[in-house]
Amino acid sequence: ATMLAGAIKLETPGTVVNPGRMEARHISIKAHRIDNDHKLMRADQSLDLQAWNATSTLTNKGGVLFSRENVTIQGFGEVEAAAGTVLA
């Protein structure tokens, strides 16, 4: 599955699971859990991932978080990123 857009903005106290590939000019996600395992999140200008609270989790095992300009990852109590890649 692919999600393509000019901008993607998601806010939830629950979980956001990348359906396979998320691509947009700007991606902003604030959630309790963000799952990007073995998936691609690509933003042309900004990729902003924020924790819902201090117990929030970001998983990027085998995944790629990419932005041509800025990547911000903020506030997560746990980050699981075995074999994952973050590029800016």
Side-chain angles (χ1 to χ4, degrees), residues 10-13 16 28-32 34 48-52:
L10 304 169
E11 288 193 23
T12 179
V16 173
S28 176
I29 301 173
K30 181 176 182 179
H32 180 65
I34 299 173
D48 182 21
L49 305 177
Q50 293 185 19
W52 193 262

Side-chain angles (χ1 to χ4, degrees), residues 3-73:
M3 190 180 279
L4 301 170
I8 297 171
K9 183 172 183 173
L10 304 169
E11 288 193 23
T12 179
T15 299
V16 173
V17 178
N18 184 341
R21 190 174 90 188
M22 262 188 214
E23 296 186 61
R25 190 172 308 118
H26 302 280
I27 298 174
S28 176
I29 301 173
K30 181 176 182 179
H32 180 65
R33 184 169 193 280
I34 299 173
D35 180 345
N36 192 57
D37 290 352
H38 306 286
K39 308 289 188 333
L40 169 67
M41 235 183 252
R42 185 185 70 79
D44 288 334
Q45 295 178 358
S46 63
L47 175 59
D48 182 21
L49 305 177
Q50 293 185 19
W52 193 262
N53 59 38
T55 63
S56 297
T57 302
L58 169 64
T59 63
N60 188 46
K61 295 179 276 186
V64 176
L65 300 171
F66 172 80
S67 175
R68 290 187 179 158
E69 294 184 19
N70 300 305
V71 174
T72 302
I73 298 172

